[in-house]
Amino acid sequence: SHEALIIDQLPARIPPHSLDAEHAVLGCLLLEGAGALQNVGALVADDFYLGANREIFGTVVAMAAAGRAVDLLTLSEELRRRDQLEFVGGPSYLALLVERGSVAAYLSSYVAIVRQHAALRETIQTAARIIDLAYDAKDDAQLVIDQALRRFEALAARAAVAEAPFPALSAAELVGADLPQPAFHVEGWIPTKGITFVVGDSEAFKSFLAQYIGLCVAAGRPLFDRFPTTQAPTLMLSEENGIVEDRRRLRLMCAGMGFDPVAVPFWIAPETAFSFDDPPRYASLRSFVQARGIKLVLIDSFVRVHRREEKDAGQMNALYMDRMKPLIRDGVDLVLLHHKRKLPAGMHSQVPATSDSDDIRGSGDLRAAAHAVLFLKTLTKTTVVVRHNKARGFEKQDPFVFSLAGGNATGQIVLAHEGAPADAVDKTAGCRAAILEYAAEHPAGFFRQDVVAALKGRFSRRAVDPMLKALAKEGYPLKEDEVREGRRAKRFYVLVSADPDPAGPEGDDDVPF
């Protein structure tokens, strides 16, 4: 009969399954870690068709239940310990899973595909058991029907549990919700659970500021002694300066802050060629930050750590969803150093000097993904204004100015808060810093007319002369002497003591001042 033909064919047919969906789910778990298990619903190991995949999923669940970190490296070691690594296909198969890992936003969709095929296989198995019961039951048809109903009801109940409710709130629920207050790494400026872009021109001290932020957060010290920080281990990926320059800056900055670098949980990864688009390096980063409890990762600079087209909104959104958001879900936030958007030819003269209208270089999706954008603009050779270009979910802060001074000549680098922009552009303060800089560059001393000539175009003689006199008072950094040449007397100055605004080092080409 036709029915008998179907029954005879059942054992020979390949059960429904989707290895692509299983790979996507397992790869996503390896990329996102144990935290992603909260998004797999009622999925269990037996829902996977391939035995290797069942073993991998079961091991991931067991590791998560034990509170252990889950990534490519830790899973490999656990499978090796269980003597199951070769059974699942070895390290090459796990690497394949990482490569085929799902975008986090699509994880629930791939889980649904795995569950649907598992439900079909369970239906086939249940139907096969019922067929066996029908052959063996002889005249007791009602017994077979009752058991068939119970089995299918159990299948329907499990399918209902596996379907997660859509997370919509009524207007009343949302208005009445008790939501947590915004949390920050740096109070008011760098939020947790998000991405902060630090944007500006070259020589706007972006790298210096990023390293300073990392040190302050790692030590729990207020930024510029004004903005409280939440203490946490930090990591800086430095792809711009080189290990020699990174070490020099770290030594001088720790000296300026009074820090012992051994006691501060701050790591720097210089010139690692890290890329979000390199699965093994991405997995290695996630393993590192989990092992050391890193909460803030600073990247110098954004353009160095991906291989995608910045102007393509789709590629930038995928980079955020597929690589950055998993880190944020793990409790690791990002500070990305980037450049501002270039203005079209002829537009520069139409934009005010204090405007941030040129914004972030690349697709608008970069700004959309950011929770905060800090815009840096140089005011003078040693001062930079910081403005909030974007603050999502919290209030924008008033702009402020910081200065950067010191270097090899002073044995330290100091970043200092200089007040509001209107105060920082005071010509007298700028003249003072310029004179001290010139004095540090001429330790043997200099004549008044020499410094006047050197600062011409920046400060007038009317500004330089009274400032020289003020700096040469007793107890101040300059000493004034009078040198006679015939009937003429020339004023001569020598730098004799340290000053709160030390000048830049001689020969530090990487430092603009």
Coordinates of all heavy atoms in Angstrom, one line a residue, residues 209-274:
L209 N 45.9 61.9 25.8 CA 44.7 61.9 26.6 C 44.2 60.5 26.8 O 43.8 60.2 27.9 CB 43.6 62.7 25.9 CG 42.3 62.8 26.6 CD1 42.5 63.5 28.0 CD2 41.3 63.6 25.8
A210 N 44.3 59.6 25.8 CA 43.8 58.3 26.0 C 44.6 57.5 27.0 O 44.1 56.8 27.9 CB 43.9 57.5 24.6
Q211 N 46.0 57.7 26.9 CA 46.8 57.0 27.9 C 46.5 57.5 29.3 O 46.5 56.8 30.3 CB 48.3 57.1 27.6 CG 49.2 56.2 28.4 CD 50.6 56.3 27.9 OE1 51.5 56.7 28.6 NE2 50.8 55.8 26.7
Y212 N 46.3 58.8 29.4 CA 46.0 59.5 30.7 C 44.7 59.0 31.3 O 44.6 58.6 32.5 CB 46.0 61.0 30.5 CG 45.7 61.8 31.8 CD1 46.6 61.7 32.9 CD2 44.6 62.6 31.9 CE1 46.3 62.4 34.0 CE2 44.4 63.3 33.0 CZ 45.2 63.3 34.1 OH 45.0 64.0 35.2
I213 N 43.7 58.8 30.4 CA 42.4 58.3 30.8 C 42.6 56.9 31.3 O 42.0 56.5 32.4 CB 41.4 58.3 29.7 CG1 41.0 59.8 29.4 CG2 40.1 57.5 30.0 CD1 40.1 59.9 28.1
G214 N 43.3 56.0 30.6 CA 43.5 54.7 31.0 C 44.2 54.6 32.3 O 43.8 53.7 33.2
L215 N 45.2 55.4 32.6 CA 45.9 55.4 33.9 C 45.0 55.8 35.0 O 45.0 55.2 36.1 CB 47.2 56.2 33.8 CG 48.4 55.7 33.0 CD1 49.4 56.7 32.8 CD2 49.0 54.5 33.8
C216 N 44.2 56.9 34.8 CA 43.3 57.4 35.8 C 42.3 56.4 36.2 O 42.0 56.1 37.4 CB 42.7 58.7 35.4 SG 43.8 60.1 35.4
V217 N 41.7 55.7 35.2 CA 40.6 54.7 35.5 C 41.3 53.5 36.2 O 40.7 53.0 37.1 CB 39.9 54.3 34.2 CG1 39.0 53.1 34.4 CG2 39.1 55.5 33.6
A218 N 42.4 53.1 35.7 CA 43.1 51.9 36.3 C 43.4 52.2 37.8 O 43.3 51.3 38.6 CB 44.4 51.6 35.6
A219 N 43.8 53.4 38.1 CA 44.1 53.7 39.5 C 42.9 54.3 40.3 O 43.1 54.4 41.5 CB 45.2 54.8 39.5
G220 N 41.8 54.5 39.6 CA 40.7 55.1 40.4 C 40.9 56.6 40.8 O 40.3 57.1 41.7
R221 N 41.8 57.3 40.0 CA 42.1 58.6 40.3 C 41.2 59.6 39.5 O 41.1 59.3 38.3 CB 43.6 58.9 40.0 CG 44.0 60.4 40.1 CD 45.5 60.5 40.0 NE 45.9 61.9 39.9 CZ 47.1 62.4 39.9 NH1 48.1 61.5 40.2 NH2 47.4 63.6 39.8
P222 N 40.7 60.7 40.0 CA 39.9 61.6 39.2 C 40.7 62.2 38.1 O 41.8 62.5 38.2 CB 39.6 62.7 40.3 CG 39.6 62.1 41.6 CD 40.8 61.1 41.5
L223 N 40.0 62.2 36.9 CA 40.6 62.7 35.7 C 40.9 64.2 35.9 O 39.9 65.0 36.3 CB 39.8 62.5 34.5 CG 40.4 62.7 33.1 CD1 41.4 61.6 32.8 CD2 39.3 62.8 32.1
F224 N 42.1 64.7 35.7 CA 42.4 66.1 35.9 C 42.1 66.6 37.3 O 41.9 67.8 37.6 CB 41.7 67.0 34.9 CG 42.1 66.7 33.5 CD1 41.2 66.2 32.6 CD2 43.4 67.0 33.0 CE1 41.6 66.0 31.2 CE2 43.8 66.8 31.7 CZ 42.9 66.2 30.8
D225 N 42.1 65.6 38.3 CA 41.7 65.9 39.7 C 40.4 66.6 39.8 O 40.1 67.2 40.8 CB 42.8 66.8 40.3 CG 44.1 66.1 40.4 OD1 44.1 64.9 40.7 OD2 45.2 66.7 40.2
R226 N 39.5 66.4 38.8 CA 38.2 67.0 38.8 C 37.0 66.0 38.5 O 35.9 66.1 39.2 CB 38.1 68.1 37.7 CG 38.8 69.4 38.1 CD 38.8 70.4 37.0 NE 39.4 71.6 37.4 CZ 38.7 72.7 37.8 NH1 37.4 72.6 37.8 NH2 39.3 73.8 38.1
F227 N 37.2 65.1 37.6 CA 36.1 64.2 37.2 C 36.4 62.8 37.8 O 37.3 62.1 37.4 CB 36.1 64.1 35.7 CG 36.0 65.5 35.0 CD1 37.1 65.9 34.3 CD2 34.9 66.3 35.1 CE1 37.1 67.2 33.7 CE2 34.9 67.5 34.5 CZ 36.0 68.0 33.8
P228 N 35.5 62.4 38.7 CA 35.7 61.1 39.4 C 35.7 59.9 38.4 O 35.0 60.0 37.4 CB 34.5 61.0 40.3 CG 34.1 62.4 40.6 CD 34.3 63.1 39.3
T229 N 36.4 58.9 38.7 CA 36.5 57.7 37.9 C 36.0 56.5 38.7 O 36.1 56.5 39.9 CB 37.9 57.4 37.3 OG1 38.8 57.2 38.4 CG2 38.4 58.6 36.5
T230 N 35.6 55.5 38.0 CA 35.3 54.2 38.6 C 36.5 53.3 38.3 O 36.8 52.9 37.2 CB 34.0 53.6 38.0 OG1 32.9 54.5 38.2 CG2 33.7 52.2 38.6
Q231 N 37.2 52.9 39.4 CA 38.4 52.1 39.2 C 38.1 50.8 38.6 O 37.2 50.0 38.9 CB 39.1 51.9 40.6 CG 40.5 51.4 40.6 CD 40.6 49.9 40.3 OE1 39.7 49.1 40.8 NE2 41.6 49.5 39.6
A232 N 39.0 50.4 37.6 CA 38.8 49.2 36.8 C 40.1 49.0 36.0 O 40.7 49.9 35.6 CB 37.6 49.2 35.9
P233 N 40.5 47.7 35.8 CA 41.6 47.4 35.0 C 41.4 47.9 33.5 O 40.2 47.8 33.0 CB 41.8 45.9 35.0 CG 41.1 45.5 36.3 CD 40.0 46.5 36.5
T234 N 42.4 48.4 32.9 CA 42.2 49.0 31.5 C 43.3 48.4 30.6 O 44.4 48.0 31.1 CB 42.3 50.5 31.5 OG1 43.5 50.9 32.0 CG2 41.2 51.1 32.4
L235 N 43.0 48.5 29.3 CA 44.0 48.0 28.3 C 44.0 49.0 27.2 O 42.9 49.5 26.8 CB 43.5 46.6 27.7 CG 44.2 46.2 26.4 CD1 45.7 45.9 26.7 CD2 43.5 44.9 25.9
M236 N 45.2 49.4 26.7 CA 45.3 50.3 25.5 C 45.9 49.5 24.4 O 47.1 49.0 24.5 CB 46.1 51.5 25.9 CG 46.2 52.5 24.7 SD 46.9 54.1 25.3 CE 46.9 55.0 23.8
L237 N 45.3 49.5 23.2 CA 45.8 48.9 22.0 C 46.5 50.1 21.2 O 45.8 50.9 20.7 CB 44.8 48.2 21.1 CG 43.9 47.1 21.8 CD1 43.0 46.5 20.8 CD2 44.8 46.1 22.4
S238 N 47.8 50.1 21.2 CA 48.5 51.2 20.6 C 49.1 50.8 19.3 O 50.1 50.1 19.3 CB 49.6 51.7 21.6 OG 50.3 52.8 21.0
E239 N 48.5 51.2 18.2 CA 49.0 50.8 16.9 C 49.6 52.0 16.2 O 49.9 51.9 15.0 CB 47.8 50.3 16.0 CG 47.1 49.1 16.6 CD 47.9 47.9 16.6 OE1 48.9 47.8 15.8 OE2 47.6 46.9 17.3
E240 N 49.9 53.1 16.9 CA 50.4 54.3 16.2 C 51.8 54.7 16.5 O 52.5 55.1 15.7 CB 49.5 55.5 16.6 CG 48.0 55.4 16.0 CD 47.9 55.8 14.6 OE1 48.9 56.3 14.0 OE2 46.8 55.6 14.0
N241 N 52.2 54.5 17.8 CA 53.4 55.2 18.2 C 54.7 54.3 18.3 O 55.8 54.8 18.2 CB 53.2 55.8 19.6 CG 52.1 56.7 19.6 OD1 52.0 57.7 18.8 ND2 51.1 56.5 20.5
G242 N 54.5 53.0 18.4 CA 55.7 52.1 18.6 C 56.0 51.9 20.0 O 55.7 52.7 20.9
I243 N 56.6 50.7 20.3 CA 56.9 50.3 21.7 C 57.8 51.2 22.4 O 57.7 51.5 23.6 CB 57.4 48.8 21.8 CG1 57.4 48.3 23.2 CG2 58.7 48.7 21.1 CD1 57.6 46.9 23.3
V244 N 58.8 51.8 21.7 CA 59.8 52.7 22.4 C 59.1 53.9 22.8 O 59.3 54.4 24.0 CB 61.0 53.0 21.4 CG1 61.9 54.0 22.0 CG2 61.8 51.7 21.1
E245 N 58.3 54.5 22.0 CA 57.6 55.8 22.3 C 56.5 55.5 23.4 O 56.4 56.3 24.3 CB 57.0 56.4 21.1 CG 56.2 57.6 21.3 CD 57.0 58.8 22.0 OE1 58.2 58.7 21.9 OE2 56.3 59.7 22.5
D246 N 55.8 54.4 23.3 CA 54.9 54.0 24.3 C 55.5 53.9 25.7 O 55.0 54.4 26.7 CB 54.1 52.7 24.0 CG 53.1 52.9 22.9 OD1 52.5 54.0 22.8 OD2 52.8 51.9 22.2
R247 N 56.7 53.3 25.8 CA 57.4 53.2 27.0 C 57.8 54.5 27.6 O 57.6 54.8 28.7 CB 58.6 52.3 26.9 CG 59.3 52.0 28.2 CD 60.5 51.2 28.1 NE 61.6 51.8 27.3 CZ 62.8 51.3 27.1 NH1 63.1 50.2 27.7 NH2 63.7 51.9 26.4
R248 N 58.3 55.4 26.7 CA 58.8 56.7 27.1 C 57.6 57.5 27.7 O 57.7 58.1 28.8 CB 59.4 57.5 25.9 CG 60.0 58.8 26.3 CD 60.4 59.6 25.0 NE 59.2 60.2 24.4 CZ 58.7 61.4 24.8 NH1 59.2 62.1 25.7 NH2 57.6 61.8 24.2
R249 N 56.5 57.5 27.0 CA 55.3 58.3 27.4 C 54.8 57.7 28.7 O 54.4 58.5 29.6 CB 54.2 58.3 26.4 CG 54.6 59.0 25.1 CD 53.4 59.1 24.2 NE 53.8 59.7 22.9 CZ 52.9 60.0 21.9 NH1 51.6 59.7 22.1 NH2 53.3 60.6 20.8
L250 N 54.8 56.4 28.9 CA 54.2 55.8 30.1 C 55.1 56.2 31.3 O 54.6 56.5 32.4 CB 54.2 54.3 29.9 CG 53.6 53.5 31.1 CD1 52.2 54.0 31.4 CD2 53.7 52.0 30.9
R251 N 56.4 56.1 31.1 CA 57.3 56.5 32.2 C 57.1 57.9 32.6 O 57.0 58.2 33.8 CB 58.8 56.2 31.8 CG 59.2 54.8 31.8 CD 60.7 54.7 31.2 NE 61.2 53.4 31.4 CZ 62.4 53.0 30.9 NH1 63.2 53.9 30.3 NH2 62.9 51.8 31.1
L252 N 57.1 58.8 31.7 CA 57.0 60.2 32.0 C 55.7 60.6 32.5 O 55.5 61.4 33.5 CB 57.3 61.1 30.7 CG 58.7 61.0 30.1 CD1 58.8 61.8 28.8 CD2 59.8 61.4 31.1
M253 N 54.6 59.9 32.0 CA 53.3 60.2 32.5 C 53.1 59.7 34.0 O 52.5 60.4 34.8 CB 52.2 59.7 31.6 CG 50.8 60.3 31.8 SD 49.7 59.9 30.5 CE 50.4 60.7 29.1
C254 N 53.6 58.5 34.2 CA 53.5 57.9 35.6 C 54.3 58.8 36.6 O 53.8 59.1 37.7 CB 54.0 56.5 35.6 SG 52.9 55.3 35.0
A255 N 55.4 59.4 36.1 CA 56.2 60.3 37.0 C 55.4 61.5 37.2 O 55.4 62.0 38.4 CB 57.5 60.6 36.3
G256 N 54.8 62.1 36.2 CA 54.0 63.3 36.4 C 52.8 63.1 37.3 O 52.3 64.0 38.0
M257 N 52.2 61.9 37.3 CA 51.0 61.6 38.1 C 51.4 61.0 39.5 O 50.5 60.8 40.3 CB 50.2 60.6 37.4 CG 49.7 61.1 36.0 SD 48.8 59.8 35.1 CE 47.3 59.6 36.0
G258 N 52.7 60.7 39.7 CA 53.1 60.1 41.0 C 52.7 58.7 41.1 O 52.4 58.2 42.2
F259 N 52.6 57.9 40.0 CA 52.2 56.6 40.0 C 53.4 55.6 39.9 O 54.4 55.9 39.2 CB 51.3 56.3 38.8 CG 49.9 56.8 38.9 CD1 49.5 57.5 40.0 CD2 49.0 56.6 37.9 CE1 48.2 57.9 40.1 CE2 47.7 57.0 38.0 CZ 47.3 57.7 39.1
D260 N 53.2 54.5 40.6 CA 54.1 53.4 40.4 C 53.5 52.5 39.4 O 52.5 51.9 39.6 CB 54.3 52.6 41.7 CG 55.2 51.4 41.6 OD1 55.8 51.2 40.4 OD2 55.4 50.7 42.6
P261 N 54.1 52.3 38.2 CA 53.4 51.5 37.1 C 53.2 50.1 37.5 O 52.3 49.4 37.0 CB 54.4 51.7 35.9 CG 55.7 52.1 36.5 CD 55.4 52.9 37.7
V262 N 54.0 49.6 38.4 CA 53.8 48.2 38.9 C 52.5 48.0 39.6 O 51.9 46.9 39.6 CB 55.0 47.8 39.8 CG1 54.8 46.3 40.3 CG2 56.3 47.8 39.0
A263 N 52.1 49.1 40.3 CA 50.9 48.9 41.1 C 49.6 49.3 40.4 O 48.5 49.2 41.0 CB 51.1 49.8 42.4
V264 N 49.7 49.7 39.2 CA 48.5 50.1 38.4 C 48.0 49.1 37.4 O 48.9 48.7 36.6 CB 48.7 51.5 37.7 CG1 47.5 51.9 37.0 CG2 49.2 52.5 38.7
P265 N 46.8 48.6 37.5 CA 46.3 47.5 36.5 C 46.0 48.1 35.2 O 44.9 48.2 34.7 CB 45.1 47.0 37.2 CG 44.5 48.1 38.0 CD 45.8 48.9 38.5
F266 N 47.1 48.5 34.5 CA 47.0 49.1 33.2 C 47.9 48.4 32.2 O 49.1 48.2 32.5 CB 47.4 50.6 33.3 CG 47.3 51.3 31.9 CD1 46.2 51.5 31.2 CD2 48.5 51.9 31.4 CE1 46.1 52.1 30.0 CE2 48.5 52.6 30.2 CZ 47.3 52.7 29.5
W267 N 47.4 47.9 31.1 CA 48.2 47.2 30.1 C 48.2 48.0 28.8 O 47.3 48.6 28.4 CB 47.6 45.8 29.8 CG 47.8 44.8 30.9 CD1 48.8 43.8 31.0 CD2 47.0 44.6 32.1 NE1 48.7 43.1 32.1 CE2 47.6 43.5 32.8 CE3 45.9 45.2 32.6 CZ2 47.1 43.0 34.0 CZ3 45.4 44.7 33.8 CH2 46.0 43.7 34.5
I268 N 49.4 47.9 28.1 CA 49.5 48.4 26.8 C 49.9 47.3 25.8 O 50.8 46.6 26.1 CB 50.5 49.6 26.7 CG1 50.0 50.8 27.6 CG2 50.8 50.0 25.3 CD1 51.0 52.0 27.5
A269 N 49.2 47.2 24.7 CA 49.6 46.3 23.6 C 50.1 47.1 22.4 O 49.3 47.6 21.6 CB 48.4 45.4 23.2
P270 N 51.4 47.2 22.3 CA 52.0 48.1 21.2 C 52.2 47.3 19.9 O 52.7 46.2 19.9 CB 53.3 48.5 21.8 CG 53.7 47.5 22.8 CD 52.5 46.8 23.2
E271 N 51.7 47.9 18.9 CA 51.9 47.4 17.5 C 51.6 45.9 17.4 O 52.5 45.1 16.9 CB 53.3 47.7 17.1 CG 53.6 49.1 17.0 CD 55.1 49.4 16.5 OE1 56.0 49.0 17.2 OE2 55.2 50.0 15.4
T272 N 50.4 45.4 17.8 CA 50.1 44.0 17.7 C 49.5 43.6 16.4 O 49.3 42.4 16.1 CB 49.1 43.7 18.8 OG1 47.9 44.4 18.6 CG2 49.6 44.0 20.2
A273 N 49.2 44.6 15.5 CA 48.5 44.4 14.2 C 47.1 43.7 14.5 O 46.6 43.0 13.7 CB 49.3 43.5 13.3
F274 N 46.5 44.1 15.6 CA 45.2 43.6 16.0 C 44.2 44.1 14.9 O 44.2 45.2 14.5 CB 44.7 44.0 17.4 CG 43.3 43.7 17.7 CD1 42.9 42.5 18.0 CD2 42.4 44.7 17.5 CE1 41.5 42.2 18.3 CE2 41.0 44.5 17.8 CZ 40.6 43.2 18.2

